[in-house]
């Protein structure tokens, strides 16, 4: 583990800058480098170097059975990693790479078991971020990269979030500004028929079905089964969580508002600091002293880009309870609700029932 070392913070200026090339070479040689993608910041290591990958688990405090996603810069990098690329997988690659879509395929022998959490499959994606792609190209190796945070905490959408969690534990942080999407990639298992979405993200089920036809949602996404052995990141463990207790509140607008006003009033009486994360259209229901807007109820993409940052801001304010208004599970809203419910760890309130 690289604990106790000096972390070098680089503000990205050019793919040809000496510092950027230095970080790429460090990545190639087995050291840890955090970098931006379009989804969240990733913590990268040479995916083919078992010791380097082990350092990711150590730096994050990540359970060893939680598989990693391998990031590539071009299709030539994909071929040695897998035994087969089925026609439907090629269709998705053509439609959505580079982009926030991770595809699970049968792994080849060159991919270490530690990278895949002991599975015989490997999760691969090509990020839609110039800095990430240039870093991988210059390193010349596929890059295993989970989110660049301590395990279980909200994913980092800005470089300063990485610094908060991993300063002194990794070699480099490359600051490329805020991430566009704000939630991790969609993960789709292409080793089964029909394909199964194991984690929702920026590429929605509807978008996938337009390309390959019917796709199923894993029952864990719908809250209908527990996961014993995770086949993709984010399936088994409590994730994305701030220090505060998170509660998801669903129901009609009127029932949600009534329940939340009552809950915050009770918190005030007991001396607990609580915050409501709500749609900007509903903020007036609660008063500015209690509520923060996560974006428009009609724009799930805006909420996706804000939610992890707001969780971290609540922690900095010393918030003890966070109440989150549920949003429709449509489009990327499915991914947003998946992350919020993971953060809540089962604290789901159905107001009015």
């Amino acid at each position: 583990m690289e604990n106790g070392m000096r972390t070098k913070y680089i503000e990205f200026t050019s793919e040809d800058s000496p510092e950027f090339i230095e970080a790429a070479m460090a990545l190639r040689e087995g050291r840890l480098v955090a970098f931006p993608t379009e989804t969240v910041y990733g913590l990268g290591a040479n995916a083919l170097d078992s010791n380097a990958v082990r350092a990711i688990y150590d730096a994050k405090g990540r359970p060893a059975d939680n598989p990693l996603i391998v990031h590539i810069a071009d299709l030539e990098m994909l071929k040695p990693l897998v035994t087969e690329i089925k026609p439907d997988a090629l269709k998705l690659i053509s439609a959505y790479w580079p982009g926030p879509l991770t595809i699970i395929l049968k792994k080849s022998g060159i991919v270490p078991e530690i990278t895949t959490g002991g599975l015989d499959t490997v999760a691969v994606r090509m990020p839609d971020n110039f800095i990430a792609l240039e870093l991988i190209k210059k390193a010349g190796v596929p890059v295993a990269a989970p989110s660049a945070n301590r395990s279980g905490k909200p994913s980092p959408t800005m470089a300063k979030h990485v610094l908060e969690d991993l300063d002194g534990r990794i070699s480099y942080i490359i600051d490329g500004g805020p991430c566009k999407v704000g939630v991790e990639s969609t993960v789709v298992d292409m080793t089964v028929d029909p394909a199964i979405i194991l984690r929702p993200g920026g590429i929605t089920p509807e978008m996938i079905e337009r390309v390959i036809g019917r796709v199923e949602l894993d029952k864990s996404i719908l809250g209908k089964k527990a996961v014993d052995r995770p086949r993709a990141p984010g399936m088994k463990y409590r994730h994305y969580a701030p220090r505060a207790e998170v509660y998801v509140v669903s129901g009609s607008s009127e029932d949600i508002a009534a329940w939340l006003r009552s809950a915050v009033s009770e918190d005030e009486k007991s001396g607990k600091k609580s915050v409501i994360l709500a749609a900007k259209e509903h903020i007036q229901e609660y008063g500015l002293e209690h509520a923060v807007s996560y974006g428009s109820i009609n724009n799930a993409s805006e909420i996706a880009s804000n939610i992890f940052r707001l969780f971290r801001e609540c922690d900095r304010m010393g918030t003890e309870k966070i109440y989150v208004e549920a949003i429709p599970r449509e489009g990327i809203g499915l991914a947003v609700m998946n992350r919020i419910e993971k953060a809540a760890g089962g604290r789901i309130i159905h107001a009015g029932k």
Side-chain angles (χ1 to χ4, degrees), residues 38-272:
E38 79 280 28
T39 56
V40 300
Y41 272 74
L43 178 58
N46 182 343
L48 306 182
D49 181 336
S50 295
N51 291 330
V53 173
R54 189 170 293 109
I56 288 179
Y57 286 96
D58 290 344
K60 282 177 62 72
R62 182 184 178 95
D65 66 344
N66 200 1
L68 303 176
I69 293 171
V70 177
H71 293 62
I72 59 173
D74 55 53
L75 289 182
E76 289 305 307
M77 274 190 175
L78 174 63
K79 293 172 185 175
L81 303 176
V82 300
T83 60
E84 180 186 20
I85 309 173
K86 292 180 178 178
D88 278 353
L90 284 172
K91 289 178 185 177
L92 288 177
I93 287 168
S94 177
Y96 298 123
W97 279 11
L101 177 68
T102 294
I103 296 175
I104 292 180
L105 301 165
K106 289 290 185 181
K107 83 176 189 73
S108 73
I110 71 166
V111 183
E113 283 199 0
I114 191 169
T115 301
T116 64
L119 300 173
D120 63 357
T121 55
V122 61
V124 188
R125 88 177 187 97
M126 188 187 298
D128 186 16
N129 179 283
F130 175 78
I131 298 170
L133 292 174
E134 286 299 314
L135 183 72
I136 297 166
K137 286 175 188 173
K138 282 188 163 43
V141 293
V143 174
S147 55
N149 57 310
R150 291 288 286 170
S151 189
K153 291 189 68 175
S155 298
T157 55
M158 303 173 72
K160 69 177 183 179
H161 300 158
V162 183
L163 196 64
E164 288 171 3
D165 282 10
L166 298 177
D167 189 20
R169 305 181 73 87
I170 65 177
S171 294
Y172 294 86
I173 298 172
I174 300 172
D175 185 348
C179 301
K180 292 186 303 183
V181 178
V183 294
E184 298 82 356
S185 61
T186 304
V187 179
V188 58
D189 187 349
M190 298 302 297
T191 67
V192 293
D193 187 20
I196 299 178
I197 294 175
L198 302 180
R199 181 178 74 183
I203 303 298
T204 66
E206 296 82 3
M207 292 168 70
I208 292 172
E209 288 185 332
R210 283 201 294 269
V211 176
I212 63 169
R214 187 168 74 92
V215 64
E216 294 185 351
L217 287 178
D218 189 84
K219 290 185 174 63
S220 64
I221 295 173
L222 305 172
K224 293 181 178 177
K225 73 168 184 177
V227 173
D228 181 30
R229 190 181 189 193
R231 290 176 288 150
M235 291 188 72
K236 179 178 179 181
Y237 299 96
R238 182 170 179 251
H239 279 281
Y240 323 116
R243 287 190 295 273
E245 293 179 353
V246 177
Y247 296 80
V248 184
V249 188
S250 65
S252 70
S253 296
E254 296 79 11
D255 286 339
I256 291 174
W259 192 93
L260 286 172
R261 285 194 295 266
S262 174
V264 169
S265 176
E266 289 299 314
D267 291 338
E268 279 189 317
K269 289 176 186 175
S270 61
K272 284 188 176 294

